[in-house]
C-alpha cells in the first residue's frame, strides 16, 4: 500500500513466480511469510502487484476488487487492524447455475457477500461516503469461492496479501437491487450447503457496514493507482464465517433485502 517496500526485488519476484506456478499446477506451496517478513505488508502487496501486471499482460481483464479480512475477529487472529484487498478478473466470474469444476481451484471455501457494482469512476483518494453512495449502481448477493495457493490454508497476513487476498472465483446473483430503502448493515444472511445451514451473519459484521468497507477499498484503490471504474464489481467482504465445500455440493446464500444466489460444484 502506501508503505515503501524495502525487500530485495529478487525475493519479491521469486514469491510471485512461486504463487503463479502453484496456481498453474494446482499444487499449493509452503507459506511465504518468512521470506517476505523483512518487507512487511508492503512487500506482500508488491508480490500481488507483480502478479496483477503479469495477468494483465497475459490478456486477463480486471473487472473489480475484493475486500478480505473485514471481520474484526479474523483481523485480531492475524494480528492486523485493517482489511486487505485483491484483484478480480473476468475469468473468475462464474455465471449462476454453471457447475464449478473443482479442477479450477485447489482448496476452495465459500463466503456469502454483498457485491456492489459501481456506476461511475471512483478516482478520488478522499472519496466521501455520499459520493460513494451516489456511485453505487446496484447491489447483488454473491458467493465468493476463496482459495489459497498456500498449503493447508496455513496463512498469515503476508501470505494472503501476496496470494491476491486468497481469491478464487465468484458467483453473482442475477437480480440487481437499488440501494434505495436498503440498510446493508441490517441485512441478515444465511448460507446453506445441501440444505443445511453452514454460515449465518449480517452486514454489520463487515467493518460495521458493507458501505463502510467499500469506502475503505475505493479510497485505497484510488491512492494505489488502480481506482474502481464504472462497471467494476466490488466484493465488500464476508457477512459470516467461510465454509468448506466438496464435489457435488450446492451452496445457496440468502441475504435479506438483497436476494438469493447459488453456487453449484461439479460432481
Amino acid at each position: 500500500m502506501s508503505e515503501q517496500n524495502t525487500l530485495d526485488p529478487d525475493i519479491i519476484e521469486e514469491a510471485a513466480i512461486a504463487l503463479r506456478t502453484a496456481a498453474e499446477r494446482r499444487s499449493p506451496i509452503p507459506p511465504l511469510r518468512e521470506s517476505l517478513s523483512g518487507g512487511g505488508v508492503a512487500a506482500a502487496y508488491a508480490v500481488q502487484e507483480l502478479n496483477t501486471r503479469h495477468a494483465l499482460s497475459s490478456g486477463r481483464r480486471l473487472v473489480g476488487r475484493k475486500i478480505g479480512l473485514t471481520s474484526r475477529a479474523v483481523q485480531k487472529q492475524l494480528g492486523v487492524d485493517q482489511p486487505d484487498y485483491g484483484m478480480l478478473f473476468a475469468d473468475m466470474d462464474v455465471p449462476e447455475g454453471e457447475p464449478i469444476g473443482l479442477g479450477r481451484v485447489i482448496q476452495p471455501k465459500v463466503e456469502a457477500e454483498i457485491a456492489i457494482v459501481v456506476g461511475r469512476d471512483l478516482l478520488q483518494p478522499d472519496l466521501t461516503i455520499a459520493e460513494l453512495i451516489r456511485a453505487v449502481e446496484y447491489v447483488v448477493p454473491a458467493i465468493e469461492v476463496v482459495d489459497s495457493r498456500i498449503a493447508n490454508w496455513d496463512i498469515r497476513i503476508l501470505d494472503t496479501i501476496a496470494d491476491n487476498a486468497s481469491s478464487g472465483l465468484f458467483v453473482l446473483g442475477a437480480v440487481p437491487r437499488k440501494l434505495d430503502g436498503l440498510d446493508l448493515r441490517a441485512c441478515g444472511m444465511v448460507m446453506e450447503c445441501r440444505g443445511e445451514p453452514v454460515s449465518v451473519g449480517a452486514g454489520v459484521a463487515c467493518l460495521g457496514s458493507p458501505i463502510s468497507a467499500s469506502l475503505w477499498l475505493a479510497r485505497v484503490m484510488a491512492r494505489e493507482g488502480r481506482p474502481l471504474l464504472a462497471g467494476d464489481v466490488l466484493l465488500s467482504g464476508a457477512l459470516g464465517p467461510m465454509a468448506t465445500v466438496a464435489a457435488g455440493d450446492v451452496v445457496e446464500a440468502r441475504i435479506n433485502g438483497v436476494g438469493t444466489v447459488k453456487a453449484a460444484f461439479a460432481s
Side-chain angles (χ1 to χ4, degrees), residues 185-242:
R185 296 172 305 170
C187 290
M189 177 278 295
V190 176
M191 183 167 64
E192 297 179 344
C193 181
R194 298 180 184 258
E196 295 293 326
V198 293
S199 180
V200 296
V204 70
C206 185
L207 286 187
S209 166
I211 292 293
S212 300
S214 300
L215 180 66
W216 175 86
L217 182 64
R219 286 173 170 175
V220 170
M221 288 292 90
R223 190 165 67 239
E224 296 302 311
R226 290 200 181 278
L228 288 155
L229 304 177
D232 277 351
V233 175
L234 193 163
L235 292 181
S236 61
L239 303 183
M242 62 183 175

Side-chain angles (χ1 to χ4, degrees), residues 26-82:
R26 302 288 187 267
S27 178
I29 58 173
L32 297 166
R33 51 186 176 267
E34 287 190 17
S35 64
L36 298 177
S37 61
V41 165
Y45 276 118
V47 174
Q48 184 188 126
E49 175 64 15
L50 266 189
N51 279 340
T52 297
R53 293 178 186 175
H54 182 272
L56 293 172
S57 68
S58 301
R60 298 179 73 191
R61 188 163 60 89
L62 198 58
V63 296
R65 315 287 186 279
K66 64 159 284 186
I67 310 174
L69 307 181
T70 49
S71 161
R72 299 296 187 192
V74 175
Q75 287 181 15
K76 187 175 180 181
Q77 179 186 349
L78 294 185
V80 294
D81 60 1
Q82 64 179 4

Side-chain angles (χ1 to χ4, degrees), residues 80-116:
V80 294
D81 60 1
Q82 64 179 4
D84 68 351
Y85 63 80
M87 304 293 128
L88 299 179
F89 296 94
D91 57 11
M92 296 163 63
D93 178 18
V94 180
E96 190 175 20
E98 178 180 300
I100 298 170
L102 290 185
R104 296 182 64 180
V105 285
I106 300 174
Q107 38 192 355
K109 299 175 184 284
V110 289
E111 295 177 338
E113 308 195 13
I114 293 173
I116 289 173

